[in-house]
Amino acid sequence: MAKAVVTQERVFEVAQALTDQGTAPTILNVQEGIGGGSYTTVKRYLDQWREAAPKQRQPVELPEPAVARLMSLGREFWGLLDEQAGQQVEALRTATREEVAAIQTQLDQAEQAIGRLEAEREQADNHAAAQEQALREAVAARAAQTERMAAAEAKAGELAARVEDLKGELERAHARQTAEREAVTAARAEAQAAAVEAARLQGELAALKKPRSSA
């Protein structure tokens, strides 16, 4: 799933829309409006928006008697302030500054922790993507190996069939060679027998041609 792209323009747009709806823009509801995004990135742009956004205050019109009464109460209030009140206010300011500093420290630590978590998540996503790529490559290599094995088996089958054909041809050649040798042997024997017969007949013929002695 593709991650939401966080830009300054998008954060400003969502923050202003939330403000127009009467909802205070926070990091979480801005992330929800965008559809995701890094905590630190959204916070940085949201802080910029808060600095740039004009302070919206509605003018309040009060009746003149109320204004006069408020001014009178204000003068009485400032008249009642003494040195002790000033010390209490300063102590309160000091305590407030210390509390704000502690809260800011906690916020900084939280932001650092969030940044580390986001970096770890990105690293885990990259590792998972690398593993998925390695798995796809392994599956492709296995498929290629299977194809090569099938081709080798088919080739081996063809070679085995060719060997059987050659064996048959060799056996037939041997049979023909044996038959030819037997035929040659028989022809030689027949020739020898004919030669013997011819010599015998020549001997008989010569004997017949000799003149017979007188009795």
Side-chain angles (χ1 to χ4, degrees):
M1 179 178 179
K3 296 182 180 179
V5 178
V6 180
T7 62
Q8 184 188 56
E9 181 180 2
R10 184 59 179 150
V11 171
F12 280 25
E13 179 183 351
V14 174
Q16 187 62 48
L18 291 170
T19 302
D20 294 343
Q21 296 172 5
T23 302
T26 64
I27 297 174
L28 294 180
N29 58 20
V30 169
Q31 282 180 320
E32 183 179 357
I34 295 174
S38 167
Y39 178 93
T40 53
T41 303
V42 172
K43 180 182 183 303
R44 183 173 71 254
Y45 290 148
L46 187 58
D47 290 341
Q48 294 175 4
W49 176 84
R50 287 170 177 161
E51 292 176 1
K55 306 297 182 182
Q56 298 181 359
R57 294 192 179 97
Q58 298 294 334
V60 179
E61 296 183 1
L62 297 176
E64 291 184 2
V67 174
R69 178 59 179 162
L70 287 174
M71 293 179 64
S72 175
L73 290 175
R75 286 191 295 269
E76 291 177 4
F77 172 76
W78 287 109
L80 293 175
L81 291 178
D82 55 10
E83 184 177 356
Q84 182 177 3
Q87 293 176 352
Q88 291 177 351
V89 170
E90 184 62 27
L92 180 60
R93 287 177 178 174
T94 301
T96 302
R97 284 195 296 269
E98 293 176 353
E99 185 177 357
V100 169
I103 293 174
Q104 185 62 46
T105 300
Q106 294 177 357
L107 287 175
D108 293 340
Q109 293 175 351
E111 290 180 6
Q112 293 175 2
I114 291 173
R116 287 194 299 271
L117 289 174
E118 288 183 341
E120 292 174 358
R121 184 182 65 183
E122 184 176 0
Q123 184 178 3
D125 291 343
N126 293 335
H127 182 65
Q131 286 186 329
E132 184 177 355
Q133 178 63 25
L135 179 59
R136 286 196 295 267
E137 292 176 355
V139 170
R142 180 63 181 274
Q145 183 180 8
T146 302
E147 291 179 359
R148 289 194 298 270
M149 290 177 61
E153 290 178 355
K155 186 64 176 179
E158 293 176 359
L159 291 175
R162 180 57 179 164
V163 167
E164 292 298 326
D165 291 340
L166 291 174
K167 285 181 178 180
E169 292 179 3
L170 182 60
E171 290 176 356
R172 287 190 294 272
H174 286 167
R176 286 195 302 269
Q177 187 177 11
T178 301
E180 289 175 356
R181 282 199 301 267
E182 290 177 353
V184 169
T185 301
R188 287 178 180 175
E190 186 177 354
Q192 290 176 356
V196 170
E197 182 65 19
R200 186 183 65 79
L201 291 175
Q202 287 180 357
E204 291 181 359
L205 181 60
L208 292 172
K209 287 181 177 181
K210 286 181 180 183
R212 294 182 179 181
S213 59
S214 57

